[in-house]
């Protein structure tokens, strides 16, 4: 640690020199905890708006072994708020540029980037960290990370406990939270709180459009796939947006609807709420603050969820989110349905997809004796596809235990279907 | 826009002032600009960044103001940073004129005496002053400005359907719908404003005024249901009618006040219509009605503006601004705070009498507002001892005793006898006036957000104090 000059860390060491009124029970001040702060290993998931703030805050707090994972490259549109990136970095890996920047500015801080997906790494990799901080905008990636740290936790072995700090922002709203496996609510426990993207029922879009949004969604969801069978609509491609704009306008004129603009079209297509740099700064700072407290114990953690709204005054609400007994990740999930015995397996899968509290994408189902429907590998999918059109009573008995997995999510839940 | 930051720090004397952006004060800033500004104003962040990184860099021994102004420019090449390397305290006394050029002033760490002097300069020039500080796990921000107007408050809903006094075209339109039809398709596609208008018409035949008591409201809701006997209670348009009827009455009351006070007039109609269950044709017709009326109102207002401007010999207001104004007419805000001078110069008793109950309750429950008094006591301690409590190891124990005694005295002056504060008061001594990077970054973010609200005249700034407690991760805003 020859790079440390006298008093370099005096501010962050101050709280570690003596037990204060709000230190956690059993807090041991002194050189050991000070060393631990500098030596422990922290993983940051996401090097975007939140990630840039997070890595800067953690480096300034004295964490010297930081890993950062991001699969994205830098885009020009990121430069306004992802302040570790410059014009010359456009096209490069976010994780790598962020790591270089921090290492060039904060001597003694080692940042290890990984340019790739979180799913590329396994339990062994994640178990090297003291804690993990997520600054992501993807619900799926968070669910995966959450399930990973909960799966890793073995109650017999305290060293397997990896706290997860999660931050998220949307416009002027944000939240930060601390997840302790099987002690606090996990990400999956509160999945219902996640606001669903605003979409409109297809019958409205197709038959009774009233809003400009309805026309734009008709253009992007119905007309685009009709016209360009193999080309995916890209919300960042102005040509694509122009096309949707033209089609939506035609339809709007037909129905006498006003208010279709380019920015609205882009907003609906991309379903974006603009990211605000100050919200990112606030939420990332709160996450870093929780990391400092968790690692050192110099003060207790937040209990355990803080929501933040900053458009009218400043409002925060911090509360203890309860664990859910039937959580498919940290609890003993058992879904119970009642269905007609003559219903088809496809009906059961449709019902599962509608369940907001589990939000499955591509569920696979099997009983202890056979596969009912498997999404992968392709051969198995093909073999089980015919079951979709079969009656439930011909596939399993009433309340027989069915195991549901999802290829995009590391979760597994039990399902009982009472046939009548 | 130019912005000034005046700040001194116990670690070394430095002041810093910066020409922030080269856009002029009058520039019409649009909504999307909001997302562009915040990263420019990361004052506290940058400060910490540089104090922690000073060694091994060319910056060691350099003026902090200079370093920050340089790195600001690196953060955003459009920002022109300049600095004045003088003692802020002296500058306030000897060259107060310097501060008058700024659109906004941010202060971090000035003594109470200097802060008051600077606040006077800012107040007299109608320049908003933002003071922001961190103290261990605590963060505090205070906004002071004589007057601040917001046209675009961006409320969740800016819809005004004017159902309490429909104009003739709207009445005609509603008349066209037949409620006794058996065709349930027609009934379930009747827009809810039509249902409400019809219910209100029937109501007025038997009542002198709109329903105001709870019982009247219940019977009005029943009247809505009676209008549509063949429509299932869970039909969307019926539900919309019911939920909107309570909003309508609240709106009516507010509007009534406005009419009595402002000369029996209505606000210009914003002209937007919410999405509702209806067939496209009825919806578009309805939308057009509202749109046309809004255009007419706007034209009327524009005519007034033209007359006024020429009578007063003022420059004509942009048509675009009148559009925005009409859309937001029901949500315009004029805000103002007390001046720091009027707050600090009154006796402690007076200072707290206006919000005595708030503070008293906070003390009783140990709420976050208590920290405001604790921070004021820390400043007093500094005035008495030349340093903050808990900053010198040898004096730690005696500081604890002295600080608690000082706080007790302060409470008595303010007239608070019942308080539950010991852990929070002790915490200040343990914090030793240290600055944690995470808390500094959080307050930096909060302050930037409020600064941008003030500069763009969009969204509502906090009124007018904010405290963040990093231990519990809770925060409170309150008015001083
Ligand atoms: Zn859970």
């Amino acid at each position: 640690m020859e790079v440390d000059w006298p008093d370099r860390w005096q501010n962050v060491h101050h709280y570690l020199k003596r037990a204060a009124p709000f230190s956690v029970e059993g807090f041991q001040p002194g050189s050991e905890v000070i060393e631990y702060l500098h030596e422990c290993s922290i993983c940051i998931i996401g090097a975007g708006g939140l990630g840039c703030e997070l890595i800067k805050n953690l480096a300034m707090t004295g964490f010297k072994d930081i890993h950062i994972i991001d699969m994205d490259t830098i885009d020009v549109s990121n430069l306004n708020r992802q302040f570790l990136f410059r014009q010359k970095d456009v096209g490069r890996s976010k994780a790598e540029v962020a790591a270089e920047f921090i290492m060039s500015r904060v001597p003694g801080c080692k940042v290890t980037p990984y340019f790739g997906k979180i799913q590329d790494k396994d339990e062994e990799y994640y178990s090297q960290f003291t804690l993990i901080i997520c600054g992501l905008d993807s619900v799926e990636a968070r669910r995966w990370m959450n399930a990973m740290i909960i799966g890793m936790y073995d109650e017999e072995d305290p060293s397997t406990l990896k706290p997860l700090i999660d931050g998220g922002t949307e416009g002027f709203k944000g939240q930060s939270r601390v997840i302790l496996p099987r002690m606090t609510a996990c990400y999956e426990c509160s999945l219902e709180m996640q606001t669903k993207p605003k979409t409109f029922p297809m019958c409205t879009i197709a038959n009774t459009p009233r809003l400009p949004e309805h026309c734009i969604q008709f253009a992007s969801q119905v007309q685009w796939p009709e016209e360009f069978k193999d080309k995916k609509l890209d919300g960042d491609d102005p040509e694509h947006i122009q096309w949707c704009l033209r089609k939506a306008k035609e339809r709007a004129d037909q129905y006498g609807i006003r208010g279709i603009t380019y920015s609205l079209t882009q907003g609906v297509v991309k379903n974006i709420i603009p990211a605000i740099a100050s919200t990112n700064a606030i939420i990332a700072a709160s996450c870093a603050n929780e990391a400092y407290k968790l690692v050192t114990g110099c003060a207790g953690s937040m209990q355990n969820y803080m929501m933040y709204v900053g458009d009218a005054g400043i409002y925060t609400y911090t509360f203890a989110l309860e664990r859910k007994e039937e959580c498919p990740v940290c609890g003993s999930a058992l879904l119970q349905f009642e269905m007609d015995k003559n219903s088809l397996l496809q009906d059961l899968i449709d019902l599962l997809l509608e369940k907001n509290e589990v939000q499955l994408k591509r569920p696979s189902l099997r009983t202890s004796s056979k596969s009912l429907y498997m999404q992968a590998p392709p051969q198995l999918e093909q073999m089980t596809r015919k079951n979709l059109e079969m009656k439930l009573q011909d596939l399993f008995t009433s309340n027989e235990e069915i195991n549901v997995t999802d290829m995009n999510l590391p979760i597994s839940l039990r399902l009982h279907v009472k046939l009548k | 826009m130019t912005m000034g930051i005046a700040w001194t720090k116990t670690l070394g004397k430095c002041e810093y002032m910066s020409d922030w952006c080269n856009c002029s004060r009058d520039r019409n800033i649009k909504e999307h600009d909001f997302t562009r500004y915040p990263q420019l104003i990361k004052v506290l962040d940058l400060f910490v960044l540089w104090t922690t990184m000073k060694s091994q860099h060319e910056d060691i021994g350099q003026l902090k103001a200079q370093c920050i102004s340089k790195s600001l420019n690196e953060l955003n090449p459009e920002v022109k940073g300049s600095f004045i390397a003088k003692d802020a305290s002296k500058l306030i006394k000897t060259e107060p004129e310097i501060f008058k050029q700024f659109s906004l002033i941010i202060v971090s760490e000035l003594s109470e005496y200097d802060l008051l002097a600077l606040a006077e300069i800012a107040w007299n020039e109608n320049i908003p002053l933002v003071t922001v500080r961190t103290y261990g796990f605590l963060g505090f921000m205070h906004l002071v400005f004589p007057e601040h107007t917001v046209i675009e408050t961006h409320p969740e809903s800016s819809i005004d359907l004017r159902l309490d006094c429909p104009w003739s075209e709207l009445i005609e339109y509603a008349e066209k719908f037949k409620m006794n039809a058996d065709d349930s398709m027609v009934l379930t596609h009747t827009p809810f404003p039509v249902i409400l208008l019809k219910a209100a018409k029937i109501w007025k035949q038997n009542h002198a005024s709109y329903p105001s008591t709870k019982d009247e409201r219940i019977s009005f809701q029943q009247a809505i249901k009676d209008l549509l006997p063949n429509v299932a209670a869970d039909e969307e348009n019926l539900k919309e009618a019911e939920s909107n009827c309570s909003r309508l009455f609240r709106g009516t009351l507010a509007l009534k006040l406005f009419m009595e006070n402002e000369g029996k007039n209505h606000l210009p109609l914003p002209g937007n219509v919410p999405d509702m269950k209806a067939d496209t044709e009825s919806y578009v017709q309805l939308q057009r009605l509202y749109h046309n009326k809004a255009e007419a109102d706007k034209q009327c207002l524009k005519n007034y503006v033209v007359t006024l401007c020429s009578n007063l010999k003022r420059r004509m207001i942009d048509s675009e601004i009148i559009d925005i104004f009409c859309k937001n007419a029901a949500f315009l805000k004029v805000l103002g705070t007390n001046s720091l001078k009027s707050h600090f110069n009154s006796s402690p008793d007076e200072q707290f009498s206006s919000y005595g109950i708030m503070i008293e309750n906070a003390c009783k429950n140990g709420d976050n507002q208590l920290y405001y008094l604790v921070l004021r006591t820390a400043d007093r301690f500094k005035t008495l001892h030349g340093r903050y409590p808990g900053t010198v190891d040898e004096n730690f124990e005696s500081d604890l005793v002295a600080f608690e005694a000082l706080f007790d005295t302060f409470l008595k002056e303010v007239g608070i006898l019942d308080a539950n504060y010991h852990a929070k008061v002790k915490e200040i001594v343990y914090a030793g006036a240290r600055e944690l990077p995470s808390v500094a970054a959080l307050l930096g973010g909060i302050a930037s957000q409020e600064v941008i609200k003030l500069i763009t005249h969009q969204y509502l700034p906090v009124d007018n104090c904010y405290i963040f407690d990093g231990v519990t991760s809770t925060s409170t805003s309150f008015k001083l």
Side-chain angles (χ1 to χ4, degrees), chain B residues 184-202:
Chain B
S184 68
M185 179 63 193
V186 171
L187 290 182
T188 55
H189 282 86
T190 304
F192 80 82
V194 173
I195 302 175
L196 279 176
L197 281 172
K198 288 191 177 281
K201 191 181 162 197
I202 296 168

Side-chain angles (χ1 to χ4, degrees), chain A residues 146 150 184-190 323-324 327-331:
Chain A
N146 176 64
I150 283 158
T184 67
C186 81
Y187 190 75
E188 204 76 19
C189 288
S190 56
R323 255 185 92 187
K324 223 166 69 180
C327 170
V329 170
C330 76

